């Protein structure tokens, strides 16, 4: 099949299941660090844009530290759920580079709109990693101030945040905050499955025609729960952008350097008034969709193993070692920090106070509403009905 060919020309052929390669072959993958830890000086995107990074040794070590910490904290959260301390957890395992790379590419003034899996971006925004655990423990509704950290609340409704981000980005333009180096931009995170949602396609249209300063950051982790990528698309996802009138690029989402470079460029283009773009971070969900899911029911072990060889952290470690940017003492110190922070996280989760149930009505609207008052009163009557009973 020719490159860029949506695949097949007859109805009969279109109906046939297509190989994964046809839907998502690795054409035009922007990569700056190979799975073996070799640095590539620069990489060219499909529109000729040249991507490169120029980090100091300290910054390289900092990225490695971020990757290890977010993986460890994520593993701790999964363990806490398994022990009944969280209701649910959506692990980022395997997606650390896409999240840390893009998260570190954000400038202070940029606004991020996450799904429920963006714990790595949250970490990069300087939010205490305890925050999403309160949400998944069911003791609060997120807890951080989106305006303070420029990181919106987690969104579980698939794709909805792309519309919120589009509206926000249109607002940036209306406020006259695009066109300069210190202009603002927004970034919307979503998954491969979300690209089939009406909301996401509507967001593409609005962002495009209003030239909104927005980066659509799709983490293509190959699955939407149990549905593989080939059930979402017959063209590589980044190529969809062309149909909406803005650029699209596919980056190696397991490469923290390339993820950083493409996101930084896309955000800077947006803040300078060049409108939206789509980044497809080509990655893999190494774990289950959430702790309620059993991926062994729908994917084979050899597929997971093939992605283990592309591990986002192992390649940075290999690079740091080869270039002698970090030594054994550094790696041991990072591991020790990760261990300490995860123990601290666990202790804090276990000591989280259970809120009074009626407080769930408190933050629905800033100034309340008569309907809410009615519901609160009804709920209070319901709770009182248990008094003195066996419950
Ligand atoms: C509108 C809507 N439909 C269905 C769901 C149920 N659901 C939760 S996660 C998910 C799959 C999302 O897959 P993807 O967009 O690839 O993101 P990933 O979980 O892989 O990060 C679905 C269908 C939902 N939360 N919202
Ligand atoms: Mg997915």
């Amino acid at each position: 099949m020719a490159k860029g060919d949506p695949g097949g020309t007859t109805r009969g052929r279109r109906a046939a299941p297509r190989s994964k390669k046809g839907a998502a072959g690795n054409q035009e993958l922007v990569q700056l660090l190979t799975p073996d830890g070799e640095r590539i000086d620069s990489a060219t995107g499909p529109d000729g844009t040249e991507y490169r990074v120029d980090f100091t040794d300290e910054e390289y070590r900092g990225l490695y530290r971020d990757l290890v910490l977010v993986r460890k904290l994520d593993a701790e959260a999964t363990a806490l759920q398994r022990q009944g301390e969280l209701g649910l957890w959506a692990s980022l395992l395997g997606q650390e580079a896409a999240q840390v790379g893009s998260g570190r590419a954000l400038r202070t003034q940029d606004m991020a709109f996450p799904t429920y899996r963006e714990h790595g971006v949250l970490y990069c925004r300087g939010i205490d990693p305890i925050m999403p655990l309160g949400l998944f423990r069911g003791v609060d509704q997120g807890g951080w101030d989106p305006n303070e950290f420029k990181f919106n609340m987690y969104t579980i409704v698939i794709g909805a945040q792309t519309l919120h981000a589009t509206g926000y980005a249109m607002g940036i333009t209306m406020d006259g905050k695009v066109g300069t180096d210190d202009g603002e931009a927004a970034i919307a995170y979503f998954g491969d499955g979300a690209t089939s949602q009406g909301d996401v396609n509507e967001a593409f249209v609005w962002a495009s025609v209003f030239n909104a300063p927005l980066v659509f950051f799709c983490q293509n982790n190959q699955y939407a729960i149990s549905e593989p990528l080939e059930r979402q698309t017959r063209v590589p996802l980044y190529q969809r952008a062309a149909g909406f009138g803005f650029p699209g690029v596919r980056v190696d989402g397991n490469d923290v350097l390339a993820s950083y470079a493409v996101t930084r460029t896309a955000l800077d283009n947006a803040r300078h008034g060049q409108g939206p773009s789509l980044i497809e971070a080509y990655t893999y969900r190494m774990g289950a969709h959430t702790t309620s899911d059993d991926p062994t029911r729908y994917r084979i072990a050899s597929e997971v193993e093939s992605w283990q060889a592309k591990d986002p952290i192992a390649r940075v470690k290999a690079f740091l070692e080869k270039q002698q940017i970090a030594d054994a003492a550094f790696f041991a110190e990072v591991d020790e920090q990760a261990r300490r922070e995860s123990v601290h996280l666990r202790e804090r989760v276990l000591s989280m106070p259970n809120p009074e149930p009626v407080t769930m009505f408190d933050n629905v609207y800033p100034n309340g509403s008569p309907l809410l008052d009615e519901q609160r009163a009804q709920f209070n009557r319901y709770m009182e009905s248990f008094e003195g009973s066996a419950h």
Side-chain angles (χ1 to χ4, degrees), residues 191-193 219 221-224:
D192 45 295
Q219 283 169 86
N221 64 7
Q222 313 297 328
Y223 286 92

Side-chain angles (χ1 to χ4, degrees), residues 283-303:
T283 181
Y284 192 75
R285 198 197 73 211
M286 295 299 296
H289 168 69
T290 66
T291 46
S292 298
D293 171 47
D294 173 8
T296 63
R297 311 256 320 229
Y298 56 83
R299 65 184 190 187
I300 53 172
S302 60
E303 181 183 294

Side-chain angles (χ1 to χ4, degrees), residues 159-167 169-170 188 190 194 197-212 214 216 244 246 276-277:
Q161 73 284 0
T162 59
L163 285 172
H164 308 158
T166 302
M170 288 165 64
F190 56 102
Q197 289 287 118
D199 281 9
V200 174
N201 289 271
E202 289 159 22
F204 286 172
V205 171
W206 278 75
S208 175
V209 299
F210 284 93
N211 205 42
L214 176 60
F216 290 104
F244 292 91
F246 51 87
S277 58

Side-chain angles (χ1 to χ4, degrees), residues 290-370:
T290 66
T291 46
S292 298
D293 171 47
D294 173 8
T296 63
R297 311 256 320 229
Y298 56 83
R299 65 184 190 187
I300 53 172
S302 60
E303 181 183 294
V304 182
E305 280 158 20
S306 76
W307 279 90
Q308 256 152 10
K310 301 179 199 167
D311 186 276
I313 302 185
R315 70 176 73 182
V316 179
K317 189 171 189 191
F319 164 69
L320 295 178
E321 282 171 342
K322 275 186 212 175
Q323 298 301 315
Q324 300 184 343
I325 295 173
D327 57 13
F330 168 78
F331 295 121
E333 183 259 313
V334 172
D335 286 347
E336 174 53 22
Q337 182 187 354
R339 192 197 62 77
R340 256 194 342 263
E341 289 198 16
S342 63
V343 169
H344 187 46
L345 189 75
R346 162 171 294 265
E347 286 167 356
R348 289 190 296 158
V349 167
L350 299 184
S351 61
M352 271 181 178
N354 284 336
E356 281 301 315
V358 72
T359 57
M360 72 175 148
F361 293 95
D362 286 355
N363 298 307
V364 180
Y365 297 117
N367 304 312
S369 83

Side-chain angles (χ1 to χ4, degrees), residues 5 26 37 41 120 147 173 194 197 203 208 246 263-264 336 344 363 377:
D5 180 349
N26 271 338
D41 259 1
N147 288 320
T173 308
Q197 289 287 118
S208 175
F246 51 87
T263 312
R264 190 30 87 96
E336 174 53 22
H344 187 46
N363 298 307

Side-chain angles (χ1 to χ4, degrees), residues 116-117 156-158 191-194 197 221 223-225 289:
Y116 39 81
R117 207 185 290 287
I156 295 187
V157 181
I158 300 300
D192 45 295
Q197 289 287 118
N221 64 7
Y223 286 92
I225 314 185
H289 168 69

